[in-house]
């Protein structure tokens, strides 16, 4: 089954939204297979946000991601990359639809609460970037038959 990387950004940590957001993933039926609080170093951010390195606001994004530790999560499920991106909503919290995490908790482009991998390829790389093998857990999801039909997973 697919895995994806989520980061609850300092905008979520500082506003006390960690629990509410994790609850959404649990309620949806996604399995948490890795979770930890970490501080994002300059080096990690320069790799993770390499596609934004030339932008004038890159320094500001980096600083914003270092306001506090973040919560890194690895979630597992059928098509979990797309499922979590849909739950996340578009980058700009002001245009994100109500019902999405950004739509419900953010009115900003930068302070938009959450990072979620945007493709299966990116997810594989990003999960490896933030989790060692021994930090990811392979355990049975006991309610699987109630969460999916048996031809879905
Ligand atoms: P995504 O998080 O929706 O995948 P990306 O384009 O990958 O969006 O950008 C990564 C993060 O960088 C965004 O979540 C946001 O916090 C920040 N960011 C992106 N574009 C801007 C911008 O134009 N102004 C300020 N921050 C931005
Ligand atoms: Mg992105």
């Amino acid at each position: 089954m697919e895995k994806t990387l989520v980061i609850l950004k300092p905008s979520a940590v500082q506003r006390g939204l960690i629990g509410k957001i994790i609850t959404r993933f649990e309620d949806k039926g996604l399995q948490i297979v890795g979770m930890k609080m970490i501080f994002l170093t300059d080096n990690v951010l320069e790799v993770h946000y390499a596609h934004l390195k030339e932008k004038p606001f890159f320094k500001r994004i980096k600083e914003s991601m270092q306001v506090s530790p973040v919560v890194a999560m690895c979630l597992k499920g059928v098509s979990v990359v797309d499922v979590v991106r849909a739950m996340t909503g578009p980058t700009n919290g002001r245009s994100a639809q109500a019902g999405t995490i950004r739509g419900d908790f953010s009115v900003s482009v930068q302070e938009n609460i959450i990072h979620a991998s945007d493709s299966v390829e990116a997810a594989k790389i990003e999960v490896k970037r933030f989790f060692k093998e021994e930090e990811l857990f392979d355990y049975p999801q006991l309610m699987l038959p109630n969460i999916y039909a048996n031809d879905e997973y």
Side-chain angles (χ1 to χ4, degrees), residues 71-91:
V71 175
M73 303 178 70
C74 178
L75 299 171
K76 185 174 169 183
V78 174
S79 303
V80 72
V81 172
D82 284 348
V83 168
V84 170
R85 278 297 282 201
M87 290 174 76
T88 294
T91 310

Side-chain angles (χ1 to χ4, degrees), residues 12-23:
V13 174
Q14 293 291 5
R15 289 178 49 201
L17 297 173
I18 296 171
K20 279 189 181 150
I21 297 168
I22 292 175
T23 295

Side-chain angles (χ1 to χ4, degrees), residues 34-99:
M35 183 158 65
K36 61 182 175 180
M37 188 171 243
I38 49 173
F39 184 81
L40 299 177
T41 62
D42 283 351
N43 283 349
V44 166
L45 285 168
E46 274 156 30
V47 175
H48 186 66
Y49 283 147
H51 58 296
L52 301 171
K53 225 173 159 180
E54 304 308 321
K55 301 277 186 190
F57 50 80
F58 183 64
K59 185 168 173 279
R60 210 182 58 201
I61 296 181
K62 235 171 52 176
E63 285 167 0
S64 141
M65 292 296 282
Q66 295 178 321
V67 161
S68 74
V70 299
V71 175
M73 303 178 70
C74 178
L75 299 171
K76 185 174 169 183
V78 174
S79 303
V80 72
V81 172
D82 284 348
V83 168
V84 170
R85 278 297 282 201
M87 290 174 76
T88 294
T91 310
N92 184 345
R94 288 188 293 276
S95 42
Q97 228 189 343

Side-chain angles (χ1 to χ4, degrees), residues 19-30 32 87 147:
K20 279 189 181 150
I21 297 168
I22 292 175
T23 295
R24 288 188 177 218
F25 296 131
E26 290 187 314
D27 286 351
K28 183 75 170 168
L30 306 179
I32 301 169
M87 290 174 76
I147 291 172

